[in-house]
Amino acid sequence: MATGALLLRRELADAPVPLVPAAALAPDTVVVHAGLVGAPDVLAERLADPDDFAHAVRTAAEAAGVRAGAVGVIEIGGLNAVVAAVAAARLGLPLVDGDLMGRAFPRIDQTVAAVHGVDPAPLVLVGPGGDTVVVRECSRRSAERLLRANVLALGGAAALAVHPLPASRLAAIGVRDSVSACLGLGDRLLTAPDTGGTPESLADALGAEPLAAGRVEEIVPRQDLTPGWATLTDGRTGAVVRVDLLDEYLAVTVDGVTRAATPQIIAAVDPSGRRPLRADQLRTGGHLILLRLPALHDWPPAAEPLVGPTAFGLDPAPPTGPLTRPFDRGTVPTRSPS
């Protein structure tokens, strides 16, 4: 994420990127969604090239026989929350205020587009040195397998462009306002008063629900797409807490009771510096606060096999209690991402 932030700051130094809702674009404007795929250790050691994202977007549009008029975000989480803005800046195009997941998911078929029966092709991967793979046609079921095989052939990481969609279609099915919502969330995190760093005070500042807070006792690593987990003891109640995870947090269970589960949004925060923690940043002995953030998107019940716990081989009891507070997007939609 730090690498993406550095890239974005550099790209925005000369000119801001307009942030616009899909509905504000001309209906026939083609939005190409950009991202980065690959192993975390590869991405940490090899800097991404903004030209690769731009090349991927142009190539996907050409393969579809159209011209890209805007860039979209695939997932509003992790590095992919910012690299689409990098591509938009390099191409001189607006960035759509929205995304296709409303959080982060590990597979390219776990999108609102897939729920609505939209296949992802043309799908374009650009590796180091400009090596380019173009998949002109592929089904939702085969997209992830094709993606993984070709990313491996490109050295373990590549720029991605996928889902060229007319703005009218994206406005109808996409997750709306997620970029501005996350900018507002970041503003609240950075400006929240320091009231002792309690889970309740932090949750209140973010409009979230506190789930647990304590010391990490054990971490069992993931195995490819099989989730791992971390266990901790809640320092306030003594409860035993389990967090199932891949690159994303999938479920939180407190004394055997599920408190949150995908597609709900689970976040971990370092209480000392209020720094969000990725799943791969958890450490035995470290302290964290677990929060359930307000949803950016209402997934229909039919999407549960695609984005719910069973999609990851988990079978938790249904989460207890709805998240009743709506997501407060604040006043940031007019601000350019930075």
Side-chain angles (χ1 to χ4, degrees):
M1 189 65 180
T3 300
L6 290 172
L7 286 173
L8 187 56
R9 288 193 188 100
R10 186 180 70 177
E11 291 299 312
L12 295 180
D14 296 329
V17 172
L19 182 63
V20 298
L25 297 168
D28 60 350
T29 302
V30 175
V31 181
V32 179
H33 294 79
L36 182 66
V37 292
D41 53 346
V42 175
L43 299 175
E45 295 179 4
R46 190 174 71 205
L47 293 177
D49 187 339
D51 284 334
D52 291 345
F53 302 117
H55 178 50
V57 169
R58 284 194 297 262
T59 303
E62 291 169 2
V66 296
R67 182 175 181 177
V71 177
V73 179
I74 297 172
E75 60 178 357
I76 193 69
L79 190 57
N80 276 330
V82 297
V83 295
V86 172
R90 184 54 59 102
L91 291 165
L93 296 175
L95 179 71
V96 170
D97 189 3
D99 75 296
L100 296 179
M101 294 184 177
R103 49 159 292 161
F105 283 116
R107 303 200 317 260
I108 196 61
D109 63 324
Q110 292 173 306
T111 64
V112 292
V115 170
H116 286 86
V118 180
D119 290 332
L123 183 154
V124 174
L125 291 165
V126 178
D131 296 323
T132 303
V133 175
V134 180
V135 181
R136 296 184 181 275
E137 295 183 11
C138 67
S139 68
R140 299 180 300 282
R141 293 183 180 88
S142 63
E144 181 67 20
R145 294 193 301 273
L146 289 168
L147 192 66
R148 284 174 156 263
N150 283 287
V151 167
L152 183 62
L154 291 171
L160 170 68
V162 69
H163 276 305
L165 293 171
S168 58
R169 180 66 167 150
L170 184 60
I173 68 173
V175 180
R176 302 174 185 174
D177 304 326
S178 54
V179 176
S180 56
C182 288
L183 288 170
L185 186 67
D187 282 343
R188 291 198 293 277
L189 179 64
L190 293 173
T191 60
D194 186 359
T195 56
T198 67
E200 290 76 16
S201 64
L202 182 60
D204 187 64
L206 300 179
E209 178 184 347
L211 299 173
R215 179 180 183 274
V216 178
E217 305 288 349
E218 179 187 21
I219 298 175
V220 176
R222 59 181 286 182
Q223 299 293 327
D224 193 25
L225 287 180
T226 300
W229 65 86
T231 57
L232 58 143
T233 301
D234 194 310
R236 306 163 303 164
T237 66
V240 176
V241 182
R242 170 172 166 144
V243 186
D244 292 284
L245 50 86
L246 285 170
D247 290 330
E248 308 80 12
Y249 298 107
L250 301 175
V252 174
T253 305
V254 180
D255 279 346
V257 178
T258 302
R259 293 290 309 280
T262 176
Q264 294 176 328
I265 305 172
I266 301 165
V269 180
D270 177 356
S272 60
R274 292 191 175 181
R275 179 174 60 94
L277 296 171
R278 301 190 312 268
D280 64 335
Q281 292 176 320
L282 300 187
R283 298 291 183 269
T284 303
H287 290 263
L288 55 84
I289 297 172
L290 291 168
L291 304 170
R292 181 170 65 175
L293 298 176
L296 294 172
H297 177 71
D298 292 327
W299 291 89
E304 197 281 335
L306 184 67
V307 297
T310 56
F312 303 94
L314 303 177
D315 187 24
T320 57
L323 186 58
T324 57
R325 283 187 286 185
F327 199 102
D328 177 12
R329 287 173 166 79
T331 58
V332 296
T334 59
R335 196 184 81 182
S336 296
S338 58

